[in-house]
Amino acid sequence: MVSIGPHVHDEDPLAAAAGTKSHVVQFFLGDPQGWADPKFPGGDAGALRDALAGADVRAFIHAPYRINVASTNNRIRIPSRKLLGQQLAAAAAIGAQGLIVHGGHVTADANVAEGYENWAKAVARIDRPVPMLIENTAGGDQAMARGLDGVARLWDAIGDAGGPGEVGFCLDTCHAFASGEDLSGIVDRVKAITGRIDLVHCNNSRDEFGSGRDRHAGMETGTIDPVVLADLIRAAGAPVICETPDPAVDIDWLRAHIPGAS
């Protein structure tokens, strides 16, 4: 049975989950645009962990957007590694199912191979007490995880890197569509590369196929056929998070079109 829930920005993710009758929820541990140490909603990791468990709600944590372990700039890469490790530890402290992090990029004057090498070093060095789920990205010629070719190159780079803990994958439907990937059959193509899909970010797109733009839309208001999105979710069989302007509406639509979804 597929569980569908919202991404929330408020200080009470449990209330947001209850409001959509969801058993899965995604949120940040602090400012998504900042470098600050993780911050727990309610202020106490143990209390939040117990409350989530008591409500039978599985949590996924999204890492801050500024993390970029691929960067060739030491002033970005080194703080990124540190914060990513802190975020993983904090996610474990509340019993989260995983931490989602973007693949990052290198600057226009850098060789993309350096970015993949930097990812391998990060995987080797950062403890992962919960699965670290790398998310595909929508645009950027120097991005590490744009399109499945980029994802495949990243997985080749980190496959033998070692390090403690799991590395998994988060499939964002808007990002895949915007990067120029056909969503029909994409689940099998992703699994052939990564071996797994741990989470689906089910988002429609405001822009056209291959646009490179990361602008999410609701299930019935975007440029992706929502039936294609429902089919993708059924094929993936993974938990689903809606990062859309009105996730409650989209969660209801998906549950109505996916038998057994909750």
Side-chain angles (χ1 to χ4, degrees):
M1 184 172 65
V2 174
S3 293
I4 306 171
H7 173 77
V8 299
H9 295 271
D10 56 44
E11 288 294 310
D12 195 345
L14 267 174
T20 54
K21 298 182 174 61
S22 299
H23 290 280
V24 61
V25 67
Q26 177 181 285
F27 53 97
F28 296 105
L29 293 177
D31 180 4
Q33 300 292 350
W35 292 101
D37 293 347
K39 177 183 176 183
F40 301 106
D44 185 276
L48 180 56
R49 180 187 63 240
D50 293 345
L52 288 164
D56 191 26
V57 173
R58 292 178 289 168
F60 288 87
I61 304 303
H62 201 302
Y65 298 128
R66 299 190 73 170
I67 289 176
N68 182 6
V69 300
S71 178
T72 54
N73 184 336
N74 289 345
R75 295 183 179 181
I76 296 174
R77 185 180 67 259
I78 294 172
S80 291
R81 284 183 188 168
K82 178 182 177 182
L83 184 55
L84 181 53
Q86 291 173 334
Q87 287 278 326
L88 285 159
I94 65 164
Q97 303 296 297
L99 179 92
I100 299 93
V101 62
H102 289 179
H105 60 277
V106 296
T107 53
D109 59 344
N111 187 330
V112 293
E114 295 181 74
Y116 293 114
E117 291 170 5
N118 287 337
W119 252 112
K121 293 174 184 176
V123 167
R125 296 173 185 177
I126 298 173
D127 289 344
R128 297 181 293 278
V130 298
M132 181 177 69
L133 311 182
I134 302 175
E135 181 180 351
N136 60 305
T137 50
D141 292 337
Q142 301 290 83
M144 299 297 101
R146 181 186 181 183
L148 295 193
D149 287 346
V151 172
R153 189 168 178 182
L154 177 55
W155 247 253
D156 284 344
I158 66 177
D160 296 323
E166 296 181 52
V167 176
F169 189 73
C170 173
L171 173 61
D172 187 299
T173 57
C174 173
H175 296 178
F177 181 81
S179 73
E181 291 290 342
D182 184 355
L183 297 185
S184 298
I186 194 171
V187 167
D188 288 340
R189 300 199 307 277
V190 167
K191 288 185 176 180
I193 296 167
T194 67
R196 57 199 283 176
I197 295 175
D198 299 82
L199 183 69
V200 174
H201 284 171
C202 187
N203 307 310
N204 211 317
S205 175
R206 292 170 57 186
D207 299 292
E208 69 278 7
F209 180 77
S211 69
R213 301 188 187 98
D214 179 11
R215 301 200 301 171
H216 298 179
M219 292 305 106
E220 295 187 281
T221 62
T223 56
I224 305 172
D225 181 350
V227 174
V228 171
L229 296 175
D231 289 344
L232 185 155
I233 289 171
R234 281 191 289 268
V240 175
I241 294 293
C242 291
E243 302 174 314
T244 53
D246 192 345
V249 169
D250 297 319
I251 289 167
D252 286 344
W253 189 92
L254 288 168
R255 287 175 179 160
H257 289 81
I258 300 174
S262 65

